[in-house]
Amino acid sequence: MRRIRCIIQYLGTNYVGWQIQPNGHSIQEALEAALKRITNEDVRIHGSGRTDSGVHARAQVAHFDVEAKMPADKFAIAMNMLLPSDIRVLHSEETDIDFHSRFNAKRKHYQYNIQTGKHADVFLKDTCLHVHRPLDFDSLQRAASLCTGEHDFRGFMSANTSVDNTVRTIFRSQWSRKGNLLSYDVEGNGFLYNMVRILVGTMLDIGSGRLPIEAMQAALETPDRAFAGATAPAHGLTLMRVCYPDFDTEVILNEPG
Amino acid sequence: MRRIRCIIQYLGTNYVGWQIQPNGHSIQEALEAALKRITNEDVRIHGSGRTDSGVHARAQVAHFDVEAKMPADKFAIAMNMLLPSDIRVLHSEETDIDFHSRFNAKRKHYQYNIQTGKHADVFLKDTCLHVHRPLDFDSLQRAASLCTGEHDFRGFMSANTSVDNTVRTIFRSQWSRKGNLLSYDVEGNGFLYNMVRILVGTMLDIGSGRLPIEAMQAALETPDRAFAGATAPAHGLTLMRVCYPDFDTEVILNEPG
């Protein structure tokens, strides 16, 4: 058995999410179907984490085990010939058999994109949330800055999930603006289920004046979902980067050639 | 009767093009269906020009006549409530009854986008042509610069079209580069059927070394389709701007609010 790790890019619009579900097509299912055709083995692929229906990935990491003797870098090429055009394998390489895409991940970067203005831009409709109401950029930025550091994010987790440790460290939590496009970049050592979308939903409530800035601090100090704002829609969210001690998607994707 | 003119944005991916066709859904059909529901009149909408299947518009101009008394700016809002999310009416206003979106157009701007690199980016797949083979930027730029000015573009027109005057003036013909994205901007007083796509196809043949730079000059001097290169795929092309003596889409779209 050999272990292969790869970088996967996808537009989540037409999928029920990363994970195989009974009610529709998943990214995992598409990748496993391609691997089955290439290797004739029943391959299980493991992602660095699940992404919800509609969430995108610029660089998701996954690993799988195969017996096939194919050179590791050829998996990307062979899979892309079989995959639909909204899923691409950007890179594949052989790794130690004890590498695990989920358990070894040290840092992740998510981006949430918002388009402001009167009409939703047709070119951005699948990857940006359109917000018509005015947003105060300084309030968004102040709320975001409160999130950095180590916090118990239990209040920013979907109510129907169970996880033991809800403490996470956020290294970067920052808004930027370019014309009518607002982007929120958040990097951390891990994220709870729906955490980024609830952070964004809370900040949008603050930015639009529905909640005071103090609401963010209160939600960070209270492990109760009721203190945070709504869960922002999935389609504005993109997994941008995953880092491991010996593997950084950004480094690989910036290599020439 | 009143005449309304509007600015329309669309993602052409899921349409047979601007014009009504028997074999699928068109932009025109979607707009006319929305107008029928709003006014209960059989409204015919006239665009500044047809766009092919898969071609997009950031700012297409169209006009239509109605009896309905609805304030002119409300047409955009009412139509957007009925249109699919890949078509938006960005602006609507009343105009003189002798305004004609096609015959009065003085200048148009098209952009053709290309993504280079090993894999087609999933986020750009509908709006950029993916080109894997190396392209020489200086050759593209030199070929583009030969196109400015007044030329008989008969050699850059689809062979099965008939039009009397094939002389057009090109004001701007220029490539730009940003990371792995190459954009070709072309502005002119008018364009023949498939002209931009054949210009791009010819430049791609030159940029990849399949044709010498002299091929562009020869094609510009010879009114024969056989001298130019292939027709580049539709999905890289976007209509960016249409200008009239009293109406410029760029000015309207940059107005605040």
Side-chain angles (χ1 to χ4, degrees), chain B residues 34-245:
Chain B
L35 285 168
K36 171 82 182 180
R37 281 189 59 192
I38 293 165
T39 63
N40 206 24
E41 300 170 46
D42 287 313
V43 182
R44 173 53 40 116
I45 191 158
H46 302 266
S48 75
R50 302 168 191 176
T51 53
D52 282 340
S53 180
V55 173
H56 319 288
R58 197 177 72 96
Q60 166 73 288
V61 174
H63 76 266
F64 57 87
D65 294 340
V66 284
E67 307 258 11
K69 302 278 179 269
M70 175 184 269
D73 61 324
K74 295 288 179 282
F75 278 97
I77 298 158
M79 291 170 79
N80 286 336
M81 288 198 288
L82 300 170
L83 287 165
S85 64
D86 48 9
I87 307 178
R88 290 292 94 178
V89 182
L90 302 183
H91 175 84
S92 57
E93 65 176 43
E94 196 144 353
T95 181
D96 286 344
I97 201 79
D98 57 0
F99 171 83
H100 196 289
S101 57
R102 181 164 157 226
F103 303 131
N104 298 8
K106 291 285 172 247
R107 187 182 178 115
K108 282 185 183 179
H109 172 193
Y110 280 96
Q111 188 174 70
Y112 197 96
N113 288 298
I114 289 171
Q115 181 230 323
T116 60
K118 209 158 34 171
H119 305 288
D121 190 302
V122 300
F123 300 105
L124 303 174
K125 71 182 175 59
D126 290 335
T127 54
C128 292
L129 173 68
H130 176 237
V131 175
H132 184 212
R133 61 186 190 277
L135 292 171
D136 182 66
F137 186 77
D138 292 337
S139 299
L140 290 176
Q141 198 66 284
R142 278 200 296 155
S145 69
L146 294 172
C147 302
T148 53
E150 192 182 89
H151 299 280
D152 182 347
F153 285 98
R154 189 172 292 272
F156 293 89
M157 180 174 69
S158 273
N160 55 347
T161 39
S162 73
V163 60
D164 288 340
N165 182 5
T166 51
V167 174
R168 296 290 183 275
T169 301
I170 299 300
F171 309 116
R172 177 185 179 203
S173 170
Q174 196 172 40
W175 286 87
S176 59
R177 184 170 37 180
K178 199 173 169 184
N180 65 349
L181 204 70
L182 292 173
S183 299
Y184 172 62
D185 287 286
V186 61
E187 293 181 53
N189 64 352
F191 294 89
L192 304 171
Y193 186 57
N194 275 351
M195 177 173 151
V196 181
R197 290 168 56 190
I198 300 171
L199 283 170
V200 171
T202 307
M203 289 187 281
L204 290 180
D205 281 344
I206 292 168
S208 62
R210 276 196 223 149
L211 285 176
I213 180 86
E214 291 74 22
M216 180 59 91
Q217 194 63 49
L220 285 167
E221 287 166 3
T222 320
D224 183 340
R225 175 69 185 86
F227 278 69
T231 306
H235 71 279
L237 186 61
T238 303
L239 174 59
M240 298 295 284
R241 178 184 186 179
V242 189
C243 300
Y244 299 86

Side-chain angles (χ1 to χ4, degrees), chain A residues 34 37-38 74-84 88:
Chain A
R37 281 189 59 191
I38 294 165
K74 294 288 179 284
F75 278 96
I77 298 158
M79 291 170 80
N80 286 336
M81 289 199 286
L82 300 170
L83 287 165
R88 289 292 95 178

